[in-house]
Amino acid sequence: MKAEAQCGAKRENRASVSCPAGLGCRISPLLGDHMRPVAYISFHTSPLDLPGEGDAGGLNTYLRNLVSHMAKLGFHCDVFTRQVSPSQPEVTWVDAGVRVICLPAGPARPLEKDELVAHVEDFVEALVPRLKSGGHCLLHSHYWLSGLAALAASKVTALPVVHTAHTWARLRALPDGGESRLNAENVLARSADLVVVSTDHEEKAIVESCNLLPEQVRVISPGVDHERFLLPSASKRVQARAEIGAGPDDLVVVCVGRVQRLKGTDLAVKAVQMLSKQMPSVASRIILAVVGGASGADGRQMMEHIRLLAVSAEMRARVVFLPPRSHVDLVEIYHAADVCLAPARSESFGLVALEAQACGVPVVAAAIDGLVCAVRDGESGLLVARPDPNLFAVALGRLLSDDELRTRLSRGAREASRAYSWELVAKQHCREYDVLLELDGIAACG
Ligand code: UDP
């Protein structure tokens, strides 16, 4: 691992180095036509995994979009991930300029997150020769386990490390990973050449809790795929609604993503259950579509719990449970929706909220973490003070009983989503890589 003092000094210079070509840095003297590849580390999950259950969620969507847009800017991107099946191809080309490379580390089968830390060393052992022969110029790790691998690989290769945590144990409502994760995240934040975070709130919290200089952290908000997530035509909307059994008078509420306590899927079902008592005539028109599968240690239990709530005596709404689906099919869920519920107890950003808004669907979310950035209260959705089913029920009742409000917020949702795009995310990363490589004196041209 590079000495922290050295990294710190390098970072202090960051402020004075400007990207030669502003955001469009393809013409940078360092990052030219013959760029050396960037190594992305995604140890515990692959961008090829279907998000929406298990360990696959927003991180997978983020990384898949980041590398594909970095490739459009001219970068060659190698994503290194752990092999989880003996039949998995070692190398998969996913786009021009983007390869996913599976490395052996521990048994070639899916493992629980707490089992994975023991195999980081094996992963690094397989990774380092690849980096040496591949001539990579930079390591960009995603999630703390990948960060550990990147730091260890950097010790041997002297490559700079950019780290995106996606979630920090210290900022979660229900911390997981114990002391070892907290300590590892602390070391990572201090040792990486740059930490990328999604919001100003995350930046402030990490700078304060890890005692960093502001220059050590950059805020780059996630994006949304506007070519895929867009307003439906009238006929597509009718068709999408028919596919989940909804007619013109039904009120479709969607709750999309991994099912676990932290994601608050239970709060969504409870809110609709409460509305059944408060506004039975509205509730009887509701179809709540829960899209996603169990995730994490409490996922299965949560799934059973919400299935029981859904058939309870007081429930007036219909609840449909749908398995996770690819983005191609997920867009139909947003096209069927009148409202999206984002009921997480803790959410580093909330890509589902961005995707729903891009499709013109207002979002009801708790005013926590990244959701405060993703959702504009009273403009693109409604924010409630806490992740509390009572508050969600009130906001949902207000929105579902007021057609004019929904129409206004639907327009605002489209408008709010325009501030976010993966193109912008890639350009911002491009600028950061450029500055970092220039400071490191790394010849990015091979
Ligand atoms: N997702 C998906 N298919 C599904 C359910 C979810 O592709 O059936 C994707 C969704 O489109 C989003 C991601 O999973 O891009 C979830 O990201 P979010 O930030 O909302 O939650 P996280 O998983 O990071 O907690």
Side-chain angles (χ1 to χ4, degrees), residues 97-170:
V98 180
R99 296 188 299 181
V100 173
I101 301 171
C102 297
L103 300 177
R109 60 177 165 78
L111 294 174
E112 294 300 326
K113 275 209 190 115
D114 55 6
E115 298 175 285
L116 280 170
V117 73
H119 303 292
V120 171
E121 229 177 279
D122 293 346
F123 185 79
V124 174
E125 210 167 283
L127 174 66
V128 167
R130 295 296 196 129
L131 298 174
K132 286 185 175 165
S133 63
H136 297 82
C137 62
L138 185 140
L139 296 163
H140 187 165
S141 50
H142 294 263
Y143 198 61
W144 71 281
L145 292 166
S146 305
L148 291 183
L151 284 188
S154 163
K155 214 174 175 181
V156 185
T157 58
L159 292 175
V161 174
V162 176
H163 180 64
T164 307
H166 295 271
T167 64
W168 301 90
R170 69 199 63 221

Side-chain angles (χ1 to χ4, degrees), residues 222-265:
V224 64
D225 179 349
H226 290 280
E227 280 174 25
R228 181 159 322 280
F229 298 110
L230 33 75
L231 276 182
S233 64
S235 64
K236 275 206 170 144
R237 180 165 160 82
V238 170
Q239 195 186 332
R241 288 168 73 86
E243 272 169 30
I244 55 168
D249 293 333
D250 290 317
L251 296 164
V252 177
V253 178
V254 299
C255 179
V256 175
R258 297 176 295 122
V259 174
Q260 58 171 225
R261 186 169 155 73
L262 210 57
K263 298 294 294 178
T265 328

Side-chain angles (χ1 to χ4, degrees), residues 51-52 57-58 61 256 258 263 291 324-325 327 330 347 350-352 355:
T61 300
V256 175
R258 297 176 295 122
K263 298 294 294 178
V291 185
R325 40 176 73 199
H327 274 182
L330 186 60
E347 186 71 272
L351 294 183
V352 161
E355 293 160 4

